[in-house]
Amino acid sequence: MGGQARRTKHRVQNRISDLRFQISYPKEEKKIIMAELSIRERQAGDVTVLDMDGRITIGEGSVALRSAVRRLLEEGKKKLLLNLAGVGYIDSSGIGELVSSYTAINKEGGQLKLLSLTQKLQDLLTITKLLTVFDAYDSEAEALSSFK
């Protein structure tokens, strides 16, 4: 390839790269893409209950869950019950964060259990065989009494 052809090819490739980063989305789509998760923390005896509402997805949702769990571990709280009744959607990143949180808590000698799985989430955990890993409960009283 001659020098002129190489320079032209290089300019075209750079132009394509520039265009990739100029794609923008309407504000409405950004709100859908940027998932949010609100987490309310409460104590039930020596068990910390995290009531979650929103979506656990890549980005803000999984970061919020990770931050909450890591902070509680640093505070010495090792018995966690995640109330997922208000979680309408979870993606693979969110599932990964549940597994990561479970692993981190077990490593510290603690316990993480799930409460009020939606049918969608229960199906997802069944398909991925993760329902055999997590202890999941429909009743908060039953879940709380299961902690050692």
Side-chain angles (χ1 to χ4, degrees):
M1 202 185 286
Q4 180 65 28
R6 268 192 298 253
R7 283 191 296 276
T8 301
K9 180 181 176 189
H10 184 69
R11 277 195 303 258
V12 169
Q13 286 175 336
N14 284 342
R15 182 70 181 133
I16 290 170
S17 293
D18 291 345
L19 288 174
R20 266 189 293 202
F21 296 104
Q22 292 176 4
I23 297 171
S24 62
Y25 297 96
K27 287 189 184 282
E28 298 80 39
E29 281 190 55
K30 280 190 178 178
K31 287 180 185 173
I32 293 169
I33 292 169
M34 294 185 62
E36 291 185 19
L37 178 70
S38 65
I39 301 174
R40 197 181 53 138
E41 179 183 329
R42 59 189 167 92
Q43 284 299 128
D46 61 347
V47 177
T48 304
V49 180
L50 297 180
D51 295 310
M52 294 186 246
D53 190 35
R55 299 162 51 106
I56 306 175
T57 58
I58 191 166
E60 294 176 19
S62 60
V63 169
L65 176 58
R66 180 183 317 120
S67 298
V69 169
R70 300 309 185 270
R71 179 183 51 78
L72 291 168
L73 276 175
E74 287 173 9
E75 293 173 3
K77 297 178 180 175
K78 297 179 183 179
K79 293 181 180 181
L80 299 180
L81 180 60
L82 305 183
N83 181 358
L84 301 169
V87 174
Y89 180 78
I90 187 166
D91 68 2
S92 59
S93 177
I95 294 288
E97 196 51 53
L98 285 177
V99 172
S100 175
S101 295
Y102 178 86
T103 304
I105 290 169
N106 273 358
K107 192 174 177 182
E108 295 292 323
Q111 295 176 291
L112 179 133
K113 300 185 182 201
L114 307 178
L115 173 64
S116 299
L117 301 178
T118 62
Q119 188 60 52
K120 252 189 215 181
L121 185 52
Q122 190 168 351
D123 292 346
L124 185 59
L125 292 178
T126 301
I127 290 167
T128 57
K129 306 255 191 258
L130 288 171
L131 205 52
T132 61
V133 174
F134 292 105
D135 287 338
Y137 299 88
D138 292 326
S139 151
E140 185 170 326
E142 186 183 351
L144 291 172
S145 67
S146 73
F147 281 92
K148 299 173 190 167

